[in-house]
Amino acid sequence: MEQFIIEGGRPLAGTVTPAGNKNAAQALLAATLLTDGEVVLKNMPDIGDVARIVELLRDLGVRAQKTGDHEWTLCAGSLHKTSLRADLCSQVRGSFMFGGPLLARHGRADIPRPGGDRIGRRRVDTHLQALEGLGADIQANHIYRMVAERGLKGADIFLDERSVTGTENAVMASVLAEGTTVLNNVASEPHVQELCQFLNRCGAQISGIGTNELTIEGVQTLSGGTHT
């Protein structure tokens, strides 16, 4: 069988530059849908999942251009649709995170069932619970049809599990919701914190970052910004 054989006892030396976190990158790309300003994202990993998310954004009408080594410049000033392509969604799990920002800013989203890594059962119940708690009506078949005709409203929501992407979806939906949202039992991983910090830099009002309770004061609009 294949194996690694490690002979210890030798000192290590050198410099390593960490690549950008894939899970943070996908959420940050989805968050660009919340603003009509220009967003510059740096230290983005050059991987297939990022490329698929960018393809999804472009298909909706987002202007996305690679402007440097591991750097993307994006602007979601206007979209020509809010329905995602099924063939692209089947290739990347992060496509489901488009639901929150599309609902928050445009009042509707059609999200085909996501694909991505096959690592066992990966439920989306936490996403749906949070979005419905904020006032969205969701009909699910092979496509999740999400509508918030009167806009999203702040609410107190206790997530049924500490899902990273479920937390991120709920946060993105809440930042433009009317009123105050309190999210309990949320994930607090570094990439969740990074998304919250980016949104605050763009004008959101999120407190409790790094804990399992987030309080979000809804704002009317977000501006663009730069994030590494």
Side-chain angles (χ1 to χ4, degrees), residues 155-174:
D156 288 355
I157 298 172
F158 188 94
L159 301 186
D160 68 343
E161 67 171 347
R162 290 182 180 175
S163 162
V164 169
T165 54
T167 297
E168 292 168 337
N169 225 345
V171 167
M172 289 188 284
S174 300

Side-chain angles (χ1 to χ4, degrees), residues 136-147:
D137 177 64
I138 302 175
Q139 303 296 322
N141 194 349
H142 63 289
I143 292 179
Y144 293 88
R145 299 191 184 280
M146 308 176 181
V147 180

Side-chain angles (χ1 to χ4, degrees), residues 31-49:
T32 63
L33 291 167
L34 291 164
T35 173
D36 60 2
E38 187 173 88
V39 174
V40 179
L41 299 175
K42 300 184 178 183
N43 197 31
M44 296 287 282
D46 190 8
I47 58 175
D49 280 3

Side-chain angles (χ1 to χ4, degrees), residues 16-182:
V16 175
T17 302
N21 183 296
K22 180 199 80 166
N23 292 327
Q26 292 189 83
L28 291 167
L29 286 168
T32 63
L33 291 167
L34 291 164
T35 173
D36 60 2
E38 187 173 88
V39 174
V40 179
L41 299 175
K42 300 184 178 183
N43 197 31
M44 296 287 282
D46 190 8
I47 58 175
D49 280 3
V50 167
R52 297 294 85 74
I53 294 290
V54 170
E55 280 190 72
L56 282 166
L57 289 170
R58 284 174 168 162
D59 186 63
L60 295 178
V62 176
R63 175 171 55 82
Q65 182 179 5
K66 196 166 186 180
T67 49
D69 188 26
H70 299 285
E71 177 182 298
W72 286 91
T73 299
L74 307 100
C75 183
S78 62
L79 304 184
H80 51 252
K81 65 176 184 176
T82 55
S83 300
L84 273 60
R85 277 174 47 188
D87 61 321
L88 292 176
C89 289
S90 68
Q91 300 176 46
V92 59
R93 182 75 180 175
S95 59
F96 208 76
M97 285 190 289
F98 281 46
L102 285 174
L103 275 171
R105 187 155 167 239
H106 299 281
R108 63 177 53 249
D110 290 342
I111 313 291
R113 292 188 181 276
D117 300 331
R118 304 296 181 186
I119 56 173
R121 182 171 180 261
R122 304 184 73 180
R123 58 204 288 273
V124 295
D125 305 53
T126 306
H127 299 248
L128 304 180
Q129 172 206 5
L131 297 176
E132 288 177 331
L134 293 167
D137 177 64
I138 302 175
Q139 303 296 322
N141 194 349
H142 63 289
I143 292 179
Y144 293 88
R145 299 191 184 280
M146 308 176 181
V147 180
E149 291 183 351
R150 299 180 181 178
L152 299 177
K153 309 292 183 183
D156 288 355
I157 298 172
F158 188 94
L159 301 186
D160 68 343
E161 67 171 347
R162 290 182 180 175
S163 162
V164 169
T165 54
T167 297
E168 292 168 337
N169 225 345
V171 167
M172 289 188 284
S174 300
V175 292
L176 295 183
E178 179 183 338
T180 302
T181 299
V182 179

